[in-house]
Amino acid sequence: MTRMPRVVEWIGDAEGGVLRILDQTCLPTEVAFRDCHTVEDVWEAIRSLRVRGAPAIGIAAAYGVVIGAQSGASIRDAIDSLRSSRPTAVNLFWALDRMAAKAVRDGPNCGTLLAEAQAIDEENHQMCLAIGRHGASLVPDRGGVLTHCNAGSLIAGEYGTALAPLYTAHANGKRFQVFADETRPLLQGSRLTAWELMQHGLDVTLICDNMAAQVMREGRVQMIVVGADRIAANGDTANKIGTYGLAVLARAHGIPFYVAAPTSTFDLSRSSGDQIPIEQRDSREVTDGFGRPTAPAGVSVYNPAFDVTPAGLITAIVTEHGIIQPIEPATIGAVIHRSQN
Amino acid sequence: MTRMPRVVEWIGDAEGGVLRILDQTCLPTEVAFRDCHTVEDVWEAIRSLRVRGAPAIGIAAAYGVVIGAQSGASIRDAIDSLRSSRPTAVNLFWALDRMAAKAVRDGPNCGTLLAEAQAIDEENHQMCLAIGRHGASLVPDRGGVLTHCNAGSLIAGEYGTALAPLYTAHANGKRFQVFADETRPLLQGSRLTAWELMQHGLDVTLICDNMAAQVMREGRVQMIVVGADRIAANGDTANKIGTYGLAVLARAHGIPFYVAAPTSTFDLSRSSGDQIPIEQRDSREVTDGFGRPTAPAGVSVYNPAFDVTPAGLITAIVTEHGIIQPIEPATIGAVIHRSQN
């Protein structure tokens, strides 16, 4: 029985309802919800990472537009405000553009705007379920699966994206052990993935990132599955730092390595991973991450947020429109084409 | 100019002197010393990891025997007490046995016991310098070196063991960048290695363990050097968890991977790494290591303290009696034979 709460949920009717979010900044020690009554509340929830992950941010912002309409103030102002909450979140802009188009078409009506937000929410939910359906057959029964970072229920829908194959396989009766890398420096694996897998009743074991190789060597892992931040036209995949190392280790141990992500993750304007910029982040994430300094003052830190895994190390990419294998521009193009029709 | 303090130091004469230790539990935020006036003080310093690392523990215990002699109480009782401070530390027993033999031979005389403790200290110092001399030629000039955990000045002598080749190469005028893995879960890399390299004036950059693969891929690393907890007769090497994964990644990127350790680390009673037991440690090291919980209550954790790197992934082993390469029972046996003559 799952005890997984909804991450983003509309409570009540169109005119009087509120947006209720699971406050992820309180996890894993506290399960707290926060009701957003104003556009500013929604803005703050996105800004402060109470809601995180591309799909969930888009959905929360869409509901935020409904809240804007409730107040009778300008829809345009509400959308402009929400747009500034996470300046690099492509999915946020996409959802807000869609809500803006709806408002232009049908006027600032709470009911029709809520219907549009719920449509975005539901389409996302179906997308996650489809990734799960396509990927479930890849999951071993009575084996072990290793994952990294968090792209599960906490970012979208019932099942999330990268973890959807695991949830679907589990719902289908497969039983397996999931190893969750803690994912330094921000510990999304220990704070979020371990927590949500426990809520869903899956068998999860937390490890430090540097234990993954030993776990593979001991024969405990038959599948690795991760999400993606961006996938180039040739299949090279940018994802949370540490993903590339896992792919190299998977190859050395003969373990299949899968990426599971929606087709919206593909960026066909980049022919290969070399063209994906790698964000460098604040050194304090590494030295002062959790309440006390763990490194000498003034030490140099290298803190790339992502790495790029070459397509040649990826066994297959699981999308809502099917599994891409082998990974090459033609097979990728075919799935993208399907997603646009 | 080095600002590296002595880790273990005798202050004063034999009858009235004290053992001064650098309290490593205060690092990296505070450089604090603690004077041990009684055998209990020394016992507590070893027990509480204020002094850590096999050589430093042995030296501290040897000086602890001198402190026992100062009080006029039983040398045997002092030695038995110190023996219980870290029950699995082979080097501790070796140093105490040597002090006991000295006391039997020459009586419980503070002067002769201090001379014996200082001989142990000096021999260790020379051993570290010899590892540095043998290993320095392997260090690239104007390149990058990656290391893991801590087996440097903080565990022994002026230069330590695994880091001795780097310190010697630096003293010889080579300039290079050192990447220090933070080394989860206990963060010896960020707390200790980064700190001591800074004290010695080396150019150190801290990374999370899961960033090592990306740093290698970017061509920033021309050498990897690590220590060892135990080396089997065939060269298989047990060391801090994460070492094995680095060795696999080094091979995939064509980077030489060295182990630097004293010959006392070899355990010829183990024919291969399969026979080295892997200690499993408390899950709270992973879930509660940063001052507040970073994982859900009750989560399963797998926390092996060590892993075993097969000899086939190790380019060479640097000892105080020379470099072992190729790594096979015959070349290992020859160096061990040299160490016994």
Side-chain angles (χ1 to χ4, degrees):
Chain A
M1 281 305 95
T2 177
R3 291 172 293 142
M4 180 71 204
R6 292 286 297 273
V7 170
V8 177
E9 186 174 20
W10 185 262
I11 305 289
D13 62 11
E15 283 74 20
V18 297
L19 172 63
R20 178 165 298 167
I21 59 143
L22 173 67
D23 186 347
Q24 297 192 34
T25 62
C26 299
L27 293 177
T29 46
E30 194 189 344
V31 178
F33 296 91
R34 182 176 278 244
D35 287 351
C36 299
H37 297 274
T38 67
V39 172
E40 289 66 38
D41 289 346
V42 180
W43 184 92
E44 194 276 340
I46 296 173
R47 179 69 155 204
S48 306
L49 309 181
R50 302 183 198 286
V51 180
R52 52 168 278 288
I57 288 172
I59 295 164
Y63 285 123
V65 176
V66 183
I67 292 172
Q70 287 175 344
S71 72
S74 155
I75 293 284
R76 177 55 52 198
D77 287 353
I79 288 174
D80 286 349
S81 164
L82 290 165
R83 201 181 289 274
S84 69
S85 59
R86 282 290 293 277
T88 60
V90 174
N91 222 62
L92 171 68
F93 307 147
W94 171 85
L96 289 171
D97 287 345
R98 186 163 154 181
M99 294 300 287
K102 186 72 175 173
V104 166
R105 218 162 43 234
D106 297 346
N109 178 288
C110 290
T112 55
L113 287 172
L114 179 59
E116 190 72 358
Q118 285 173 328
I120 292 173
D121 197 350
E122 177 61 19
E123 288 163 23
N124 179 73
H125 185 189
Q126 293 303 324
M127 176 270 287
C128 294
L129 293 180
I131 292 176
R133 269 197 312 278
H134 289 296
S137 65
L138 305 172
V139 179
D141 201 4
R142 322 253 156 228
V145 179
L146 188 144
T147 187
H148 190 67
C149 200
N150 179 263
S153 302
L154 285 166
I155 66 150
E158 189 179 347
Y159 282 174
T161 53
L163 297 183
L166 307 189
Y167 289 130
T168 306
H170 187 260
N172 293 348
K174 285 187 180 175
R175 291 296 172 264
F176 48 89
Q177 182 178 18
V178 184
F179 289 93
D181 274 357
E182 67 173 6
T183 317
R184 284 285 286 155
L186 296 183
L187 299 172
Q188 292 92 340
S190 54
R191 290 189 298 112
L192 305 176
T193 296
W195 180 84
E196 70 163 78
L197 288 167
M198 289 171 78
Q199 304 310 306
H200 281 284
L202 271 71
D203 174 10
V204 58
T205 298
L206 177 64
I207 59 172
C208 297
D209 300 291
N210 64 20
M211 296 169 186
Q214 176 67 12
V215 170
M216 292 184 208
R217 186 163 188 236
E218 292 172 358
R220 297 174 190 265
V221 176
Q222 282 68 49
M223 174 196 195
I224 297 174
V225 63
V226 298
D229 282 84
R230 205 188 296 203
I231 307 177
N234 71 341
D236 290 354
T237 295
N239 190 46
K240 186 59 58 195
I241 186 73
T243 301
Y244 164 64
L246 289 178
V248 173
L249 292 168
R251 175 61 52 90
H253 292 86
I255 299 167
F257 183 90
Y258 299 106
V259 170
T263 48
S264 60
T265 313
F266 284 89
D267 179 354
L268 301 187
S269 75
R270 315 276 174 168
S271 62
S272 77
D274 298 341
Q275 294 173 35
I276 301 177
I278 301 292
E279 176 190 5
Q280 300 293 327
R281 292 180 58 88
D282 193 318
S283 64
R284 286 171 296 186
E285 290 183 352
V286 176
T287 59
D288 292 80
F290 295 91
R292 59 183 167 88
T294 53
V299 68
S300 296
V301 175
Y302 184 58
N303 183 20
F306 304 104
D307 56 30
V308 174
T309 301
L313 291 175
I314 302 169
T315 309
I317 299 175
V318 182
T319 77
E320 75 276 27
H321 293 290
I323 295 176
I324 302 175
Q325 187 180 28
I327 300 170
E328 41 196 50
T331 52
I332 290 171
V335 162
I336 299 296
H337 183 75
R338 218 177 301 159
S339 76
Q340 290 164 342
N341 289 279
Chain B
M1 280 301 94
T2 179
R3 290 172 293 141
M4 180 71 204
R6 292 287 298 274
V7 170
V8 177
E9 187 174 17
W10 186 262
I11 304 289
D13 63 10
E15 284 74 21
V18 298
L19 172 63
R20 177 165 298 167
I21 59 143
L22 173 67
D23 186 347
Q24 298 192 34
T25 62
C26 299
L27 293 177
T29 46
E30 195 189 343
V31 178
F33 297 89
R34 182 175 279 244
D35 286 351
C36 299
H37 298 273
T38 67
V39 171
E40 289 66 38
D41 289 346
V42 180
W43 184 92
E44 195 275 340
I46 296 173
R47 179 70 155 203
S48 305
L49 310 179
R50 301 184 199 285
V51 180
R52 52 168 277 289
I57 289 172
I59 295 164
Y63 285 123
V65 176
V66 183
I67 292 173
Q70 287 175 343
S71 71
S74 154
I75 293 285
R76 176 56 52 199
D77 287 352
I79 288 174
D80 286 348
S81 162
L82 289 165
R83 201 181 289 276
S84 69
S85 58
R86 283 290 292 278
T88 59
V90 174
N91 221 64
L92 171 68
F93 307 147
W94 171 85
L96 289 171
D97 287 346
R98 186 163 153 181
M99 294 300 288
K102 186 73 176 172
V104 166
R105 215 162 44 235
D106 297 346
N109 177 288
C110 289
T112 55
L113 287 171
L114 178 60
E116 188 73 358
Q118 286 174 328
I120 292 173
D121 196 350
E122 177 59 20
E123 289 164 22
N124 178 72
H125 186 189
Q126 293 302 324
M127 176 271 287
C128 294
L129 293 181
I131 291 177
R133 267 197 312 279
H134 288 297
S137 65
L138 306 172
V139 179
D141 200 3
R142 322 256 156 225
V145 179
L146 189 144
T147 188
H148 189 69
C149 199
N150 179 264
S153 302
L154 286 166
I155 66 151
E158 189 179 345
Y159 282 175
T161 53
L163 297 184
L166 306 189
Y167 289 130
T168 306
H170 187 259
N172 293 349
K174 285 187 180 176
R175 291 296 172 264
F176 47 89
Q177 181 178 19
V178 184
F179 290 93
D181 274 357
E182 67 173 6
T183 317
R184 283 284 287 152
L186 296 182
L187 299 171
Q188 292 93 337
S190 54
R191 291 190 298 110
L192 306 176
T193 297
W195 181 84
E196 69 163 78
L197 288 167
M198 288 171 78
Q199 304 310 306
H200 281 284
L202 271 70
D203 174 11
V204 59
T205 299
L206 176 63
I207 60 172
C208 297
D209 300 290
N210 65 20
M211 297 169 187
Q214 177 67 10
V215 170
M216 292 184 209
R217 186 163 189 238
E218 292 172 359
R220 298 174 189 265
V221 177
Q222 281 69 49
M223 173 196 195
I224 298 174
V225 63
V226 298
D229 282 84
R230 204 187 296 203
I231 307 177
N234 71 343
D236 291 353
T237 296
N239 190 44
K240 186 60 58 197
I241 186 72
T243 301
Y244 164 64
L246 288 179
V248 173
L249 292 168
R251 175 61 52 91
H253 292 86
I255 299 167
F257 183 91
Y258 300 106
V259 170
T263 48
S264 60
T265 312
F266 283 88
D267 179 355
L268 300 187
S269 74
R270 317 274 173 167
S271 62
S272 77
D274 299 342
Q275 294 172 34
I276 301 178
I278 301 292
E279 175 190 6
Q280 300 294 328
R281 292 182 57 88
D282 193 317
S283 64
R284 285 172 296 186
E285 290 182 351
V286 176
T287 59
D288 293 78
F290 289 99
R292 60 184 168 91
T294 53
V299 69
S300 297
V301 175
Y302 184 58
N303 184 18
F306 304 104
D307 56 30
V308 175
T309 301
L313 291 175
I314 302 169
T315 308
I317 300 175
V318 182
T319 77
E320 75 277 25
H321 293 289
I323 294 175
I324 302 175
Q325 186 181 30
I327 300 169
E328 40 195 51
T331 53
I332 290 171
V335 162
I336 299 296
H337 183 74
R338 218 176 302 158
S339 75
Q340 290 163 344
N341 289 279

